Amino acid sequence: MNIDLTEDEINILLKSGSNCLTTCREGGPAHQCPDCQKLQNVMSKLQAGVSR
């Protein structure tokens, strides 16, 4: 599946994701929170798309 997003849309998703990771009640990716680990993977894909 492909979704066309503007750079601004990607940036707000990255900003929201970063906030989510820092406020995780489960301790975040460092504490093996599965949702945070998935979110980190998605954010990596978004960041790779922005850097092109």
Side-chain angles (χ1 to χ4, degrees):
M1 170 183 1
N2 290 325
I3 299 172
D4 291 325
L5 298 173
T6 67
E7 191 170 336
D8 286 340
E9 291 169 328
I10 292 170
N11 287 332
I12 195 67
L13 290 172
L14 291 171
K15 184 177 176 181
S16 296
S18 292
N19 183 56
C20 184
L21 292 174
T22 59
T23 60
C24 175
R25 292 183 187 161
E26 301 296 323
H31 289 76
Q32 306 306 312
C33 174
D35 289 336
C36 287
Q37 291 173 333
K38 290 176 190 173
L39 178 57
Q40 269 192 320
N41 290 337
V42 170
M43 290 176 62
S44 293
K45 289 181 183 180
L46 289 171
Q47 288 170 331
V50 170
S51 64
R52 283 191 226 165

